[in-house]
Amino acid sequence: MADIYELQLALHLPDDLPSPDLDLLRRHLGQPEDGGEGRDGREDGDGGDRHDEAYEYPLLASRGPARKIDGALVGELHPDHRGWALSARQEVHPDEFDDLGRLVQWLGARTTTVGTIGHLRFHESDVPDLLIARNGSVHRATLRRDTLVESPTDVISDGRV
């Protein structure tokens, strides 16, 4: 398992996300489904292009200590004032990239977040590739480490020069 990557996602989904879509996302997070009812208990309509059968197992369901990337593995979905808040941090293998790519694009087609929604980073690298949602899809932006400006005192800068 040497080819391990860190996948982080942080995004919002709309309040009116159909129940079948919520159920699929809950399945990937390892959470119980809500039985086809929406947030307010109403039945929702058709979920559109669901591909439940295409995934062998939940992709965002790992929890507990990470083995290679340090820290903890998480996956959370919660309702809030903007709709649904999703955060996930997982260790992933390149063998999962096809399924993960389809899931991230599926999320990108539904997210209300514009801009960076996460990153993918090889466990031995300091620099991640950004996952950017724009116009209903997700693009991967590769950051380069041509020069690195480090400061032991300005870990989190206040923006002043």
Side-chain angles (χ1 to χ4, degrees):
M1 286 193 57
D3 294 337
I4 297 298
Y5 287 75
E6 171 192 32
L7 172 68
Q8 282 197 31
L9 298 171
L11 56 105
H12 273 83
L13 296 159
D15 186 42
D16 61 352
L17 194 66
S19 286
D21 286 358
L22 281 171
D23 287 345
L24 176 63
L25 187 50
R26 286 184 178 117
R27 199 169 309 124
H28 278 295
L29 290 165
Q31 298 177 351
E33 298 174 29
D34 72 350
E37 292 183 345
R39 178 189 302 209
D40 59 2
R42 294 175 295 155
E43 287 289 322
D44 287 330
D46 179 30
D49 58 324
R50 290 180 57 216
H51 301 287
D52 301 18
E53 303 81 25
Y55 299 102
E56 289 185 43
Y57 53 87
L59 297 172
L60 305 174
S62 295
R63 302 292 183 275
R67 293 181 182 183
K68 291 279 188 182
I69 61 174
D70 292 328
L73 304 178
V74 299
E76 297 288 333
L77 178 67
H78 296 282
D80 77 354
H81 68 283
R82 292 173 48 194
W84 294 93
L86 171 67
S87 291
R89 182 174 189 259
Q90 301 287 300
E91 286 182 327
V92 299
H93 188 274
D95 291 346
E96 301 171 299
F97 281 6
D98 287 342
D99 286 342
L100 285 165
R102 284 188 297 120
L103 180 61
V104 169
Q105 287 294 354
W106 183 87
L107 289 166
R110 290 157 178 78
T111 187
T112 57
T113 303
V114 176
T116 303
I117 62 165
H119 72 252
L120 183 68
R121 178 185 65 85
F122 182 64
H123 79 277
E124 293 177 351
S125 176
D126 293 329
V127 182
D129 291 350
L130 299 181
L131 302 173
I132 301 170
R134 193 176 297 129
N135 300 324
S137 66
V138 177
H139 306 274
R140 184 172 168 180
T142 302
L143 300 177
R144 296 193 173 176
R145 187 179 176 176
D146 295 333
T147 61
L148 181 63
V149 178
E150 294 186 53
S151 170
T153 58
D154 292 329
V155 175
I156 299 176
S157 176
D158 63 2
R160 292 184 275 171
V161 179

